[in-house]
Amino acid sequence: VKRKPIKGAPQYAISPEMRADEALKAICEALLGAITYHEPGVRLGEDDEFLHQFRVSTRRTRSALSSLKTVFERDTMKHYRGELRWLQQLTGPARDLDVWLIELAGYREELPDAARAGLDNLAVFLTSERADAYKALRRGVESRRYTRLVEGWSDFLTSKVPAKPPHKHADMTVKKIAQRRLWRAYGELIRDGAAIDPDGPVEPLHALRIRGKKLRYLMGFFAQLFEERKIALMQPPLKELQDVLGTLNDLFVQQQGLRASAVRMNKAGKADVDTLLAIGRLSQVLSIREAQTRLRFVDAFEALCSPHAAAAYKLLFKP
């Protein structure tokens, strides 16, 4: 039976009175299962969704460890956070090219016929780079370092928690520590968002996107500890903000990528006049889209910090 990618967060069971370290192990074990499930599809490189889900599970694990870094023993946490960062970086180039080729097909229809041939040439060049990126990725997931990461992390997650917790927060109930982290994450998101100039540099917007992603992951990790119906009602404004910030980040990365691709193609002697003109036209399209998306940011942010939204977060999460 051909394996298919699985979208969405993996399933696990935690209870409000469970120790924080036990709950975090359950969450991370489920995420590791998702990583190893999608790994064969990543090696093949035929369906980009396998790599997407592989990266999402890795990113969720990193977010869980970052948000609950005082639960596990410090040296263990430092080691695996570093190894998971390496894994995320390893998968980055191939995923960026997957996204680029998907987006390029859509952008092609927005350009006049005269510019499309140039974009076709760019797509051929990026497809070749994608093949090289997947070769490097396969070497990484077939390496001893990756094997040690998966096996060591699995052994740690399936081992019993110590009777004497290695850290003061390890035996705190998971609901109590979840409330603390969620309330803090929401406050940090609102604080940083309020200081942003929508027409200013992209870096603060990128940092806010990461804060929003961390809050959304935390809500997903711990939804079963609270009233899930209320959690579901709180999700749309956060999702809308994340969609806006994600689009802005994609547009910024794509504009940077276009310039870098033009340089690489020119250096390789594959950038003819039609291709360079098409890249220039597409850069203009992306710039206009960025300006339009920035206008959406204010409304999306205000919805998340409205009195109604703030009251909902306070009611559920304020310790």
Side-chain angles (χ1 to χ4, degrees):
V1 178
K2 188 175 181 180
R3 180 172 296 200
K4 296 181 180 180
I6 300 175
K7 298 181 181 181
Q11 299 298 306
Y12 52 85
I14 56 176
S15 59
E17 298 306 313
M18 184 181 285
R19 269 177 47 166
D21 51 0
E22 287 182 309
L24 184 54
K25 281 193 171 189
I27 293 168
C28 290
E29 187 177 359
L31 290 168
L32 179 59
I35 290 171
T36 56
Y37 173 87
H38 290 100
E39 178 199 310
V42 171
R43 292 173 186 251
L44 286 175
E46 295 175 355
D47 184 343
D48 59 84
E49 188 63 26
F50 281 101
L51 178 57
H52 177 52
Q53 295 303 327
F54 186 93
R55 279 176 57 82
V56 167
S57 296
T58 304
R59 188 164 57 237
R60 281 180 169 142
T61 305
R62 293 184 64 205
S63 181
L65 295 182
S66 174
S67 300
L68 302 171
K69 56 189 174 184
T70 58
V71 171
F72 291 154
E73 191 270 331
R74 183 176 299 174
D75 290 342
T76 299
M77 182 73 74
K78 181 179 179 181
H79 172 70
Y80 285 111
R81 286 181 68 187
E83 290 301 281
L84 289 163
R85 186 188 311 115
W86 164 76
L87 185 58
Q88 195 79 16
Q89 292 170 345
L90 175 69
T91 58
R95 179 57 186 167
D96 288 345
L97 286 162
D98 278 343
V99 172
W100 236 132
L101 287 165
I102 293 169
E103 295 291 339
L104 206 58
Y107 289 140
R108 186 180 184 278
E109 303 306 314
E110 298 189 27
L111 297 184
D113 292 344
R116 291 179 182 178
L119 279 195
D120 290 343
N121 191 24
L122 174 60
V124 170
F125 182 77
L126 293 177
T127 299
S128 174
E129 289 196 326
R130 178 187 182 275
D132 292 337
Y134 265 88
K135 286 179 183 177
L137 175 54
R138 277 192 290 273
R139 287 195 297 270
V141 296
E142 291 170 358
S143 68
R144 291 184 63 188
R145 182 175 184 178
Y146 175 77
T147 300
R148 286 196 300 266
L149 164 59
V150 171
E151 291 179 352
W153 187 224
S154 178
D155 289 344
F156 172 74
L157 294 175
T158 55
S159 64
K160 290 185 177 181
V161 295
K164 184 178 180 181
H167 196 282
K168 62 181 180 180
H169 291 159
D171 63 347
M172 182 184 291
T173 66
V174 63
K175 184 168 184 177
K176 186 174 182 179
I177 200 168
Q179 284 181 303
R180 287 187 179 188
R181 297 297 186 263
L182 281 159
W183 182 243
R184 179 187 298 173
Y186 176 69
E188 290 172 342
L189 180 66
I190 299 305
R191 178 199 66 199
D192 291 356
I196 286 179
D197 175 6
D199 299 318
V202 74
E203 287 77 13
L205 290 163
H206 175 63
L208 191 70
R209 181 179 69 91
I210 294 173
R211 282 216 182 277
K213 188 170 290 187
K214 183 177 290 189
L215 174 59
R216 195 172 177 192
Y217 285 161
L218 281 172
M219 290 176 71
F221 293 151
F222 301 121
Q224 58 191 279
L225 303 179
F226 302 93
E227 295 181 59
E228 293 192 54
R229 182 182 61 83
K230 291 184 177 180
I231 293 283
L233 291 173
M234 294 163 66
Q235 289 282 10
L238 180 56
K239 183 180 184 301
E240 173 63 18
L241 179 64
Q242 284 301 97
D243 287 346
V244 170
L245 294 173
T247 300
L248 277 174
N249 183 69
D250 289 345
L251 290 168
F252 175 75
V253 169
Q254 289 165 9
Q255 289 177 81
Q256 297 287 97
L258 268 183
R259 287 189 283 270
S261 295
V263 171
R264 295 196 305 274
M265 290 184 75
N266 189 54
K267 188 176 181 180
K270 297 182 178 181
D272 57 22
V273 173
D274 287 342
T275 302
L276 293 176
L277 288 174
I279 288 175
R281 291 292 295 270
L282 182 53
S283 294
Q284 292 176 334
V285 170
L286 297 179
S287 180
I288 292 170
R289 280 197 176 188
E290 180 184 340
Q292 294 170 338
T293 306
R294 282 176 181 264
L295 293 175
R296 293 171 52 202
F297 167 74
V298 174
D299 288 341
F301 179 72
E302 286 182 351
L304 187 63
C305 61
S306 69
H308 177 74
Y313 276 89
K314 183 177 182 180
L315 179 65
L316 277 188
F317 301 140
K318 188 175 181 181

